[in-house]
Every structure is written in structure tokens, then in C-alpha cells.
């Protein structure tokens, strides 16, 4: 019987549902699945206050770990496959999972293991996954699959609904006009089990060479040129903002609160202004630089790290 370890974090359970929907075929075919929930010692609030939400930004971008509760697992146990399930926070790996990846236990559990990443998020996951590829490489793990569930609404719509979701705890019918935030039930019913079948097939043989290509064919990841261009701006600017805030103080300190609040206004405003402009540029880019955009889309659909 094949053994699968799922290392995950979730605040509202969205990611856990996506993981369970994906792994359902493995479970029904007899794979043994162990879930390891990563718990920060000081848990994050849900819903978040405006200040708490933006205050976590510098540490998230810099990858600074937080203290975790002891793990309920024997780190020497053997698993055939490890699933790392995480959310991108501010285009980076969410703090709980990034903290786990920096522990001695992670070194033991992941070294030389095939790893599949599963994400459930708004829609901006490319940079977070690049950081994940690097972490896994340093842990000598082998990334053999990536499945990313996103909110498929237009970028500005999901910007509003994700903020209503994380800051007000409102998932549906925000202001009576906005659609439900998050990953759709339809994706969980259609794409997730197809991905699960593919994962099971490769788990059985232990040969993962064609797994990612098969997953992509089933819609496991969709890379959109407009979001690719948006994320590139964020990737360049975020470390600068993160340094600007952390120069004033450590996480939660009153000294940096003004800078945190400025960022909390600047970031949504920038996305509002840039999003339509970048959407227009992205519509033109395939005409202006067809091979470059195609190459980028292909790269982010794969598990290699450049
Ligand atoms: C602090 C924070 C930052 C986030 N940043 C991003 C992001 O950069 N890209 C994205 O697609 N989603 C982002 N999200 C949304 C999450 O990926 C996810 O959809 C949400 O937190 C719910 O997931 P969960 O209930 O499984 O924790 C962010 C959420 C939080 C709390």
C-alpha cells in the first residue's frame, strides 16, 4: 500500500477541501493518506483586521519563519509521496508552510522524496511557486507535480471579493452584487478527481516523468499572461516595500504601523490602476512578442527552476 503524506495549512478550510477532492481517487484506490496540519504557535486571525493583514506582509515576503507547534509525526517515517499544500500570501509562500520548510523535520521528511504541490488561492501564485521550487530544491526534494485551484473571476472582481473574504469573513454575495469568493465547486468536482487519477497512476509506478504534462492537459494549472505581467511588477516592488516597513520595526510593533497603513492603501490602489493597463498590454503582448509570452506560460506550467 502506497503511503502519502500531506503537509498543509488552511485558515478557512478552502485548501483542505481542494486537497481532499484531489486525493479522493487515491483514497478510494487504497492509498494510505496522512494529514499533517502545520500550526503556528500564535495562530493568525480570521477574519484579519486591516492592520494585522498588512503587517504580516514584510515577514511573508522575506520568508521569516514563525514558531510552530510540535509536529504530530515521526520524521523518520517513510512516505512514497509528499503533498505540500499551501496558499500564496503576498506572492510568497504563506508563513506557516514557509516556516515548516525551514525546520529539521522538513529536511528529513522531504529529502529525496517526490513532492506534489497543491494550491487554492485567488489567482496570483506564480512567484510563490518559484519560491517553493527553490525551497524544495534546497531540501533535495523532487517537485513532480503542481495543481493550482484559483478563483476564476476577473482580476479586479476577485480583488474585491478576496478582501471581503479575508477582512470581513464574507464569502458570498458581498454588497449583494459580487460573486462568491474562491475556488469553484465545479473545479473541485471535475478537475480535482482527474488530477487525482493521474497522481495515483504515477504513484503506482513511481515514474513521474510525464505527470506534470498530463496534469496541465487536465487544467491543473492555467497561466494567464495578464497575471504573469502583474506578478512581475509585484516581484520587483514587494521586497522594496517590505524593507521600507521592516526598517521601522518588527512584526506587530507600533513603530511601523503608519508605514503598514500606507502600504494597505497603496497596494489595492496600485492593483486597481495597474490591472486594466496590464490587461491591455497583455492582450497586445502575444501579438508583439508571441514567442516570449508563450515561453513564459510554458515555463510557469512546469516544475523546473531557472
Ligand atoms: C495574508 C494573505 C495574503 C494573500 N495573498 C494572496 C496572493 O498573493 N495571491 C493569491 O492568489 N491569494 C492570496 N491570498 C488568498 C489566499 O491564497 C487564500 O485564498 C485564502 O487565504 C483562503 O485560503 P485558506 O482558507 O485555505 O487559508 C492571501 C490571503 C492572505 C490571508
Amino acid at each position: 500500500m502506497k503511503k502519502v503524506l500531506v503537509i498543509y495549512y488552511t485558515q478557512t478550510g478552502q485548501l483542505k477541501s481542494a486537497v481532499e477532492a484531489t486525493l479522493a481517487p487515491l483514497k478510494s484506490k487504497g492509498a494510505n493518506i496522512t494529514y499533517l496540519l502545520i500550526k503556528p504557535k500564535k495562530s493568525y486571525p480570521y477574519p484579519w483586521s486591516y492592520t494585522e493583514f498588512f503587517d504580516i506582509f514584510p515577514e511573508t515576503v522575506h520568508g521569516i519563519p514563525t514558531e510552530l507547534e510540535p509536529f504530530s509525526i515521526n520524521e523518520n517515517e517513510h512516505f512514497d509521496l509528499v503533498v505540500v499544500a499551501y496558499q500564496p500570501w503576498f506572492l510568497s509562500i504563506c508563513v506557516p508552510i514557509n516556516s515548516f520548510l525551514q525546520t529539521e523535520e522538513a529536511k528529513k521528511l522531504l529529502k529525496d522524496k517526490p513532492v506534489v504541490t497543491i494550491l487554492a488561492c485567488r489567482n496570483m501564485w506564480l512567484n510563490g511557486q518559484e519560491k517553493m521550487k527553490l525551497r524544495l530544491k534546497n531540501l533535495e526534494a523532487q517537485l513532480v507535480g503542481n495543481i493550482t485551484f484559483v478563483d476564476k473571476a476577473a482580476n479586479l472582481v476577485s480583488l474585491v471579493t478576496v478582501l471581503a473574504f479575508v477582512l470581513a469573513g464574507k464569502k458570498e454575495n458581498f454588497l449583494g452584487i459580487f460573486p462568491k469568493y474562491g475556488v469553484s465547486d465545479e473545479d473541485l468536482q471535475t478537475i480535482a478527481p482527474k488530477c487525482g487519477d493521474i497522481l495515483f497512476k504515477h504513484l503506482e509506478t513511481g515514474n513521474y516523468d510525464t505527470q506534470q504534462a498530463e496534469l496541465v492537459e487536465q487544467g491543473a494549472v492555467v497561466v494567464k499572461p495578464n497575471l504573469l505581467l502583474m506578478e512581475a511588477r509585484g516581484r520587483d516592488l514587494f521586497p522594496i516595500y517590505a524593507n521600507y516597513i521592516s526598517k521601522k520595526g518588527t512584526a506587530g510593533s507600533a513603530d511601523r504601523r503608519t508605514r503598514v497603513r500606507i502600504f494597505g492603501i497603496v497596494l489595492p490602489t496600485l492593483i486597481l490602476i495597474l490591472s486594466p493597463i496590464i490587461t491591455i498590454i497583455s492582450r497586445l503582448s502575444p501579438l508583439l512578442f508571441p514567442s516570449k509570452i508563450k515561453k513564459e506560460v510554458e515555463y510557469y506550467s512546469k516544475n523546473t527552476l531557472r
Side-chain angles (χ1 to χ4, degrees), residues 120-168:
C121 60
R122 180 170 85 92
N123 60 13
M124 294 210 182
W125 55 272
L126 303 179
N127 285 319
Q129 185 66 3
E130 289 303 287
K131 292 184 176 191
M132 178 58 75
K133 286 177 186 174
L134 186 60
R135 283 259 181 253
L136 294 176
K137 183 172 174 242
N138 291 338
L139 289 165
E140 296 176 54
Q142 198 199 351
L143 181 60
V144 295
N146 173 34
I147 302 165
T148 298
F149 297 97
V150 297
D151 183 316
K152 288 182 173 162
N155 190 35
L156 290 184
V157 172
S158 67
L159 173 68
V160 174
T161 54
V162 75
L163 288 177
F165 180 56
V166 294
L167 299 177

Side-chain angles (χ1 to χ4, degrees), residues 10-12 15 53 87-91 121-124 181:
T10 187
Q11 280 202 294
T12 70
L15 179 60
F53 181 75
Q87 304 78 0
W89 284 2
F90 298 117
L91 313 184
C121 60
R122 180 170 85 92
N123 60 13
M124 294 210 182
Y181 168 73

Side-chain angles (χ1 to χ4, degrees), residues 173-190:
N173 207 22
F174 180 56
L175 300 179
I177 49 167
F178 282 95
K180 185 176 172 187
Y181 168 73
V183 174
S184 73
D185 294 342
E186 195 194 335
D187 282 357
L188 296 188
Q189 283 152 17
T190 55

Side-chain angles (χ1 to χ4, degrees), residues 5 7 36-41 63-76 82 84 93-111 135-136 138-141:
L5 171 65
I7 294 157
L36 177 62
L37 171 64
I38 302 302
K39 288 193 203 137
K41 275 209 168 133
I64 295 170
T66 189
E67 270 192 81
L68 301 174
E69 293 283 354
F71 309 119
S72 55
I73 195 159
N74 170 7
E75 71 256 30
N76 295 316
V82 180
V84 177
I93 305 168
C94 66
V95 178
I97 293 295
N98 212 354
S99 305
F100 169 76
L101 294 172
Q102 295 173 64
T103 62
E104 287 304 312
E105 287 86 349
K107 274 187 199 158
K108 289 190 182 154
L109 286 165
L110 274 80
K111 191 175 184 309
R135 283 259 181 253
L136 294 176
N138 291 338
L139 289 165
E140 296 176 54

